[in-house]
Coordinates of all heavy atoms in Angstrom, one line a residue:
R20 N 30.3 -128.2 -26.0 CA 31.7 -127.9 -25.5 C 32.6 -129.1 -25.6 O 33.8 -129.1 -26.2 CB 31.8 -127.1 -24.2 CG 33.1 -126.4 -24.0 CD 33.0 -125.6 -22.6 NE 31.8 -124.9 -22.4 CZ 31.0 -125.1 -21.4 NH1 31.2 -126.1 -20.6 NH2 29.9 -124.4 -21.4
A21 N 32.0 -130.1 -25.0 CA 32.8 -131.4 -24.9 C 33.1 -132.0 -26.2 O 34.1 -132.4 -26.6 CB 32.2 -132.4 -23.9
A22 N 32.1 -132.0 -27.1 CA 32.1 -132.7 -28.5 C 33.1 -131.8 -29.3 O 33.8 -132.3 -30.0 CB 30.7 -132.6 -29.0
S23 N 33.0 -130.4 -29.2 CA 33.9 -129.7 -29.9 C 35.3 -129.9 -29.6 O 36.3 -129.8 -30.4 CB 33.5 -128.2 -30.1 OG 33.7 -127.6 -28.7
R24 N 35.6 -129.9 -28.3 CA 36.9 -130.2 -27.7 C 37.6 -131.5 -28.3 O 38.7 -131.5 -28.8 CB 37.0 -130.1 -26.1 CG 38.4 -130.1 -25.6 CD 38.4 -129.9 -24.1 NE 37.3 -130.7 -23.5 CZ 36.4 -130.2 -22.7 NH1 36.2 -128.9 -22.6 NH2 35.5 -131.0 -22.1
I25 N 36.7 -132.4 -28.4 CA 37.1 -133.7 -28.8 C 37.5 -133.7 -30.3 O 38.4 -134.2 -30.8 CB 36.1 -134.9 -28.4 CG1 36.1 -135.3 -27.0 CG2 36.5 -136.2 -29.3 CD1 35.0 -136.0 -26.6
N26 N 36.5 -132.9 -31.1 CA 36.8 -132.9 -32.5 C 38.0 -132.1 -32.9 O 38.8 -132.3 -33.8 CB 35.6 -132.3 -33.2 CG 34.4 -133.2 -33.2 OD1 34.6 -134.4 -33.2 ND2 33.2 -132.6 -33.3
R27 N 38.3 -131.1 -32.1 CA 39.4 -130.2 -32.2 C 40.7 -131.0 -31.9 O 41.7 -130.9 -32.9 CB 39.3 -129.0 -31.5 CG 40.3 -127.8 -31.7 CD 40.0 -126.5 -31.1 NE 39.9 -126.9 -29.5 CZ 38.7 -126.7 -28.7 NH1 37.6 -126.3 -29.4 NH2 38.8 -126.9 -27.5
R28 N 40.8 -131.6 -30.9 CA 42.1 -132.3 -30.5 C 42.3 -133.6 -31.0 O 43.4 -134.3 -31.2 CB 42.1 -132.3 -28.9 CG 42.2 -131.2 -28.2 CD 42.2 -131.2 -26.8 NE 42.4 -129.9 -26.1 CZ 42.2 -129.8 -24.8 NH1 41.9 -130.8 -24.0 NH2 42.2 -128.6 -24.3
G29 N 41.2 -134.4 -31.3 CA 41.2 -135.8 -31.8 C 41.2 -136.8 -30.8 O 41.0 -138.0 -31.0
T30 N 41.3 -136.4 -29.5 CA 41.3 -137.2 -28.3 C 40.5 -136.5 -27.2 O 40.4 -135.3 -27.2 CB 42.6 -137.6 -27.7 OG1 43.5 -136.4 -27.4 CG2 43.5 -138.3 -28.8
G31 N 40.2 -137.3 -26.2 CA 39.5 -136.9 -25.0 C 39.5 -137.8 -23.9 O 39.7 -139.1 -24.2
T32 N 39.2 -137.5 -22.6 CA 39.1 -138.5 -21.5 C 37.9 -139.1 -21.7 O 37.0 -138.9 -22.4 CB 39.1 -137.7 -20.3 OG1 38.0 -136.9 -20.1 CG2 40.5 -136.9 -20.1
L33 N 37.7 -140.3 -21.1 CA 36.5 -141.1 -21.2 C 35.4 -140.3 -20.6 O 34.2 -140.3 -21.2 CB 36.7 -142.4 -20.4 CG 37.6 -143.5 -21.0 CD1 37.6 -144.6 -20.0 CD2 37.0 -143.9 -22.3
A34 N 35.5 -139.5 -19.7 CA 34.4 -138.6 -19.2 C 34.0 -137.6 -20.1 O 32.9 -137.3 -20.3 CB 34.9 -137.9 -17.8
S35 N 35.0 -137.0 -20.9 CA 34.5 -136.0 -21.9 C 33.8 -136.6 -22.9 O 33.0 -136.1 -23.6 CB 35.9 -135.2 -22.3 OG 36.8 -136.0 -23.0
H36 N 34.2 -137.8 -23.4 CA 33.4 -138.5 -24.5 C 32.0 -138.8 -24.0 O 31.1 -138.7 -24.8 CB 34.1 -139.9 -24.8 CG 35.3 -139.8 -25.6 ND1 35.1 -139.5 -27.0 CD2 36.7 -139.7 -25.4 CE1 36.4 -139.5 -27.5 NE2 37.4 -139.5 -26.6
A37 N 31.8 -139.2 -22.7 CA 30.5 -139.4 -22.2 C 29.7 -138.3 -22.0 O 28.5 -138.2 -22.4 CB 30.6 -140.2 -20.8
I38 N 30.3 -137.1 -21.6 CA 29.6 -135.8 -21.6 C 29.2 -135.4 -22.9 O 28.1 -134.8 -23.2 CB 30.6 -134.8 -20.8 CG1 30.6 -135.1 -19.4 CG2 29.9 -133.4 -21.0 CD1 31.6 -134.4 -18.5
A39 N 30.1 -135.5 -23.9 CA 29.7 -135.2 -25.3 C 28.5 -135.9 -25.9 O 28.0 -135.5 -26.8 CB 30.9 -135.5 -26.3
Q40 N 28.3 -137.1 -25.3 CA 27.0 -137.8 -25.6 C 25.7 -137.5 -25.0 O 24.9 -138.1 -25.0 CB 27.3 -139.3 -25.7 CG 28.5 -139.7 -26.7 CD 28.2 -139.2 -28.2 OE1 26.9 -139.4 -28.5 NE2 29.3 -138.8 -28.7
G41 N 25.9 -136.5 -24.0 CA 24.6 -136.0 -23.3 C 24.5 -136.4 -21.9 O 23.5 -136.0 -21.2
L42 N 25.4 -137.2 -21.3 CA 25.4 -137.5 -19.9 C 25.8 -136.2 -19.1 O 26.6 -135.5 -19.5 CB 26.3 -138.6 -19.5 CG 26.0 -140.0 -20.1 CD1 26.8 -141.1 -19.6 CD2 24.6 -140.4 -19.5
N43 N 25.2 -136.1 -17.8 CA 25.6 -135.1 -16.9 C 27.0 -135.5 -16.3 O 27.2 -136.8 -16.3 CB 24.7 -134.7 -15.9 CG 24.1 -135.9 -15.0 OD1 24.8 -136.9 -14.9 ND2 22.9 -135.8 -14.4

Side-chain angles (χ1 to χ4, degrees):
R20 195 177 316 115
S23 65
R24 187 172 48 240
I25 291 168
N26 288 334
R27 190 172 55 246
R28 293 182 182 163
T30 60
T32 62
L33 289 174
S35 62
H36 280 282
I38 290 170
Q40 295 307 320
L42 289 178
N43 61 21

